[in-house]
Amino acid sequence: MSTDSTPAELARRLEALESRIAYQEHWLDTLDVAVANQEKRLSHLERLNVLMQERLRDQQRALQENDTATPGPEDEVPPHY
C-alpha cells in the first residue's frame, strides 16, 4: 500500500469499502431470513414426522390385533370334520 495516496484516492477507496460492507450486510440479512424460514420448516417437518410415525405404529398395532382376533385360514377346521 502506498503512503502517498491522495485524499481523492482515499475517499474513493473508503466509499468502495462502505459499498462492499453495505452489500455484505444486505446479504447477511437475506441469509438470516432464509435460515430462520428453513428452521421453521424443519421444525414443522419434524413434528409431522413424529405424528406420521405414531399413526404408522397405531395402524401396525391395529393390524396385529386384528390378525390375532380373526382366525386365519390355517386355524379353520375343514368342513368334513
Side-chain angles (χ1 to χ4, degrees):
M1 181 171 151
S2 174
T3 57
D4 57 348
S5 296
T6 64
E9 175 67 20
L10 290 175
R12 185 194 63 74
R13 290 179 60 202
L14 180 62
E15 187 175 315
L17 287 172
E18 288 174 340
S19 176
R20 287 175 63 187
I21 289 172
Y23 180 75
Q24 289 175 353
E25 285 177 344
H26 167 73
W27 275 107
L28 283 174
D29 291 342
T30 302
L31 290 173
D32 186 47
V33 169
V35 168
N37 289 336
Q38 287 180 344
E39 181 63 31
K40 287 179 190 175
R41 182 166 171 80
L42 180 60
S43 294
H44 174 73
L45 291 173
E46 286 174 340
R47 286 192 309 269
L48 185 60
N49 184 31
V50 167
L51 289 173
M52 295 301 288
Q53 287 177 353
E54 288 174 2
R55 286 186 182 176
L56 185 58
R57 270 190 240 110
D58 291 345
Q59 288 179 349
Q60 287 174 337
R61 199 174 304 121
L63 282 173
Q64 288 174 348
E65 289 172 1
N66 190 21
D67 285 346
T68 58
T70 306
E74 65 276 356
D75 295 331
E76 292 184 16
V77 177
H80 62 279
Y81 277 107

